[in-house]
């Protein structure tokens, strides 16, 4: 009796062994759970869930690991997937971005090694690199936790290219001429990155749940008491204290989102300021009165230009005509050959700015530049030399079959033109008559001149008709006036 009491007293102080889920066997008969609360002298309280399992007396008890790392590994309820490890192979590598900053793409043959959590790059094979590696140097590497692995055809013109994007914004390209080789590396790197991301996600959540002994059911974390188990502090460099990679990726994405929001806000502010500036800007008339904007010559209405200059023929037309008659009457293809457009635009700018210029200067020695500027002046008139209201009347007049009657009708229409139009037309057709006197040398005929000046001197206000038919009438009208100019304008026959 006394011996049995002593035995019972000895068993009172003993705690039943704690059975973790991976230690359960088919020999277990049943489980009973209980909570034991205890406190330490430091004020920290321990909260544990222990399982008392009826063990087989013939089996020796298994040691129990109480380390936090071991518990977290077994609380997931299954063995972790095995990570793929590739010893090494030569691949073509290029780094195109470093932390979001674009880099120049330089391909280089690199010895690539895939480890359990990193992708290492050596300039030569790993064995040679380790033997020739200088003290303090280490190979380049990429932490595969949180990376994105995908095929790409846009970043390179090469075939079989894999793009690796890290959570910090760095981007790498891997390429191999052999498709099975690069496909093997793509699958291995992607599988490793996915497994690491899953592991980091479970650790970052901090609530994996606790598995019931001899069962696949999980106990919710909030079902436990609020008092937590006190563990010893870890070193700062411990893997458990490092910030998860996926958390850094979230911070990087959120910073990009914040930047895009601020950028859009700046754009809206700029648009609002531009609207206010445009609404407050002075009118064209006010700027012209203040002399900020000068009246142009090209594109100005003929009546307004002559009124401003105090003449009936624009000064620029007279200057061009005099320059051509001085040194261009015998030029091959005069008015038909085009001049250099850049030089023509330069001359136009000087004329619009009312700056002094001399057409006899060496920079205007190409006479086709002068003729091209004269044609551009007539083409850019808001209303052509033959005004819009008289266009149809000229077309009906050219259809008249009787020659003398046609001359009289055309002459009558010319006399109806405003004074600047009449005088400018007289000066121009007198000049074209001089061009025809040298037709043997410049190879220009009445038909050739009419083809050039027909669409230049007249066009309908609305292009509602047949353009080809209108062009035929335009050429015929200019050719007829050119032939009959002595009769229509009272010019002397030469």
């Amino acid at each position: 009796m006394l011996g049995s009491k002593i035995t019972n007293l000895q068993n009172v102080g003993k705690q039943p062994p704690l059975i973790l889920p991976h230690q359960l066997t088919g020999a277990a008969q049943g489980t009973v759970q209980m909570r034991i609360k205890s406190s330490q002298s430091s004020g920290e309280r321990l909260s544990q869930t222990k399982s008392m399992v009826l063990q087989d007396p013939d089996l020796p008890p298994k040691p129990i690991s109480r380390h936090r790392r071991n518990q977290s590994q077994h609380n997931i309820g299954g063995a972790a997937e095995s990570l793929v490890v590739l010893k090494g192979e030569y691949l073509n590598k290029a780094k195109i971005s470093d932390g979001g900053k674009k880099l120049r793409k330089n391909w280089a043959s690199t010895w690539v090694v895939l480890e359990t959590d990193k992708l290492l790059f050596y300039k030569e094979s790993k064995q040679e690199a380790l033997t020739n590696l200088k003290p303090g140097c280490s190979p380049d590497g990429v932490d595969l936790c949180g990376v994105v692995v995908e095929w790409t055809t846009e970043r390179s013109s090469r075939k079989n290219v894999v793009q690796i994007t890290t959570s910090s914004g760095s981007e790498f390209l891997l390429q191999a001429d052999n498709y099975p080789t690069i496909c093997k590396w793509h699958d291995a790197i992607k599988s490793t990155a996915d497994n690491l991301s899953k592991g980091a996600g479970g650790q970052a959540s901090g609530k994996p749940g606790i598995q019931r002994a001899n069962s696949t059911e999980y106990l919710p974390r909030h079902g436990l008491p609020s008092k937590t188990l006190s563990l010893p502090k870890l070193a700062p460099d411990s893997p458990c204290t490092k910030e998860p990679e996926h958390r850094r990726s979230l911070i990087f994405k959120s910073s990009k989102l914040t930047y895009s929001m601020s950028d859009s806000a700046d754009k809206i502010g700029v648009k609002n300021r531009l609207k206010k500036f445009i609404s407050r800007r002075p009118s064209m008339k006010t700027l012209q009165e203040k002399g900020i904007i000068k009246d142009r010559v090209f594109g100005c209405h003929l009546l307004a230009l002559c009124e401003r200059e105090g003449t009936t023929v624009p000064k620029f037309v007279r200057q061009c005509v005099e320059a051509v008659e001085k040194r261009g009457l015998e030029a091959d293809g005069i008015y038909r050959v085009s001049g250099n457009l850049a030089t023509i635009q330069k001359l136009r700018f000087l004329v619009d700015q009312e700056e002094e210029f001399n057409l006899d200067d060496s920079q205007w020695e190409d006479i086709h530049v002068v003729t091209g500027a004269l044609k551009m002046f007539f083409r850019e008139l808001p209303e052509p030399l033959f005004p819009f209201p008289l266009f149809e009347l000229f077309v009906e007049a050219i259809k008249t079959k009787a020659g003398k009657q046609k001359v009289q009708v055309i002459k009558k229409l010319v006399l109806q033109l405003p004074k600047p139009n009449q005088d400018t037309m007289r000066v121009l057709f007198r000049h074209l008559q001089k061009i025809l006197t040298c037709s043997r040398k410049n190879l220009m005929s009445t038909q050739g001149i009419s083809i050039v000046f027909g669409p230049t001197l007249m066009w309908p206000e609305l292009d509602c008709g047949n353009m080809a038919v209108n062009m035929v009438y335009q050429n015929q009208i200019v050719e007829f006036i050119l032939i009959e100019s002595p009769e229509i304008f009272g010019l002397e026959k030469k």
Side-chain angles (χ1 to χ4, degrees), residues 214-448:
N214 197 23
S215 172
T216 59
E217 181 184 358
Y218 282 89
L219 294 177
R221 194 70 168 174
H222 57 77
L224 296 176
S226 59
K227 302 168 186 178
T228 58
L229 180 65
S230 176
L231 294 174
K233 294 184 179 180
L234 299 174
D237 297 335
S238 174
C240 297
T241 61
K242 291 184 178 179
E243 186 180 17
E245 291 291 337
H246 86 288
R247 181 175 178 83
R248 289 203 293 269
S249 64
L250 290 176
I251 295 174
F252 177 72
K253 292 178 181 177
S254 64
S255 63
K256 292 178 68 177
L257 180 61
T258 305
Y259 174 76
S260 62
M261 291 176 63
S262 62
D263 190 30
S264 62
D266 293 341
K267 289 182 180 179
I268 294 174
V270 171
K271 288 181 180 179
N272 292 335
R273 288 194 293 272
L274 285 176
K275 288 180 180 178
K276 291 180 180 179
F277 172 76
I278 293 173
S279 62
R280 295 175 181 176
R281 68 177 181 175
S283 62
M284 181 70 70
K285 185 178 180 180
T286 305
L287 294 176
Q288 289 176 351
E289 291 176 354
K290 294 181 178 180
I292 298 176
I293 296 180
K294 297 180 180 180
D295 294 327
R296 297 174 300 172
V297 175
F298 283 76
C300 181
H301 199 283
L302 186 61
L303 296 177
L305 179 60
C306 292
E307 182 180 357
R308 189 173 77 229
E309 294 179 349
T311 60
T312 55
V313 180
K315 293 180 180 179
F316 180 68
V317 175
R318 288 189 180 275
Q319 288 175 315
C320 291
V321 168
E322 292 174 359
V324 173
E325 292 179 357
K326 184 177 179 180
R327 55 188 175 92
L329 290 178
E330 297 181 357
D332 186 10
I334 189 72
Y335 285 110
R336 176 173 53 82
V337 178
S338 300
N340 184 273
L341 182 58
T343 311
I344 293 173
Q345 292 289 0
K346 184 178 180 180
L347 177 59
R348 171 187 175 170
F349 177 79
L350 293 176
V351 174
D352 281 339
Q353 296 298 318
E354 297 182 356
E355 296 184 10
E356 294 294 334
F357 65 93
N358 184 9
L359 292 180
D360 293 331
D361 194 88
S362 60
Q363 59 180 332
W364 321 119
E365 63 180 355
D366 184 6
I367 196 63
H368 299 298
V369 171
V370 179
T371 58
L374 181 61
K375 290 186 292 183
M376 181 181 289
F377 171 81
F378 284 114
R379 280 198 303 267
E380 294 195 1
L381 288 173
E383 188 176 35
L385 190 61
F386 291 79
F388 291 132
L390 299 180
F391 179 81
E392 294 296 336
L393 297 177
F394 276 103
V395 172
E396 293 298 328
I398 203 65
K399 293 179 181 179
T400 305
K401 295 183 179 180
K404 292 184 178 180
Q405 184 180 358
K406 185 186 297 185
V407 173
Q408 295 301 322
V409 174
I410 295 292
K411 184 176 181 179
K412 185 178 180 179
L413 290 175
V414 170
L415 293 176
Q416 294 179 11
L417 296 174
K419 186 65 175 174
N421 295 64
Q422 283 188 43
D423 292 348
T424 303
M425 196 177 295
R426 182 180 292 107
V427 170
L428 179 62
F429 279 93
R430 183 191 292 118
H431 169 66
L432 296 178
Q433 280 286 339
K434 294 181 180 180
I435 296 294
L436 290 176
T437 59
C438 302
S439 60
R440 291 184 179 181
K441 294 184 178 180
N442 57 38
L443 304 178
M444 290 298 294
S445 62
T446 54
Q447 187 178 5

Side-chain angles (χ1 to χ4, degrees), residues 173-230:
L173 298 180
L174 294 180
Q175 187 267 345
D177 296 333
N178 188 11
Y179 177 75
T181 300
I182 194 63
C183 189
K184 172 188 67 176
W185 280 89
H186 170 271
D187 296 341
I189 296 172
K190 187 174 181 61
S191 175
T192 302
D194 293 342
N195 292 336
L196 291 174
S197 299
K198 291 178 183 179
Q203 293 177 2
S205 63
K207 297 181 180 181
I210 300 177
Q211 189 178 16
R212 191 189 302 274
N214 197 23
S215 172
T216 59
E217 181 184 358
Y218 282 89
L219 294 177
R221 194 70 168 174
H222 57 77
L224 296 176
S226 59
K227 302 168 186 178
T228 58
L229 180 65
S230 176

Side-chain angles (χ1 to χ4, degrees), residues 128-153:
E128 297 175 357
L130 292 177
T131 56
N132 300 331
L133 193 63
K134 297 179 180 180
C137 298
S138 60
D140 296 333
V142 178
D143 192 349
L144 296 179
C145 187
V147 303
V148 178
V149 185
E150 56 187 352
W151 297 99
T152 180
T153 57

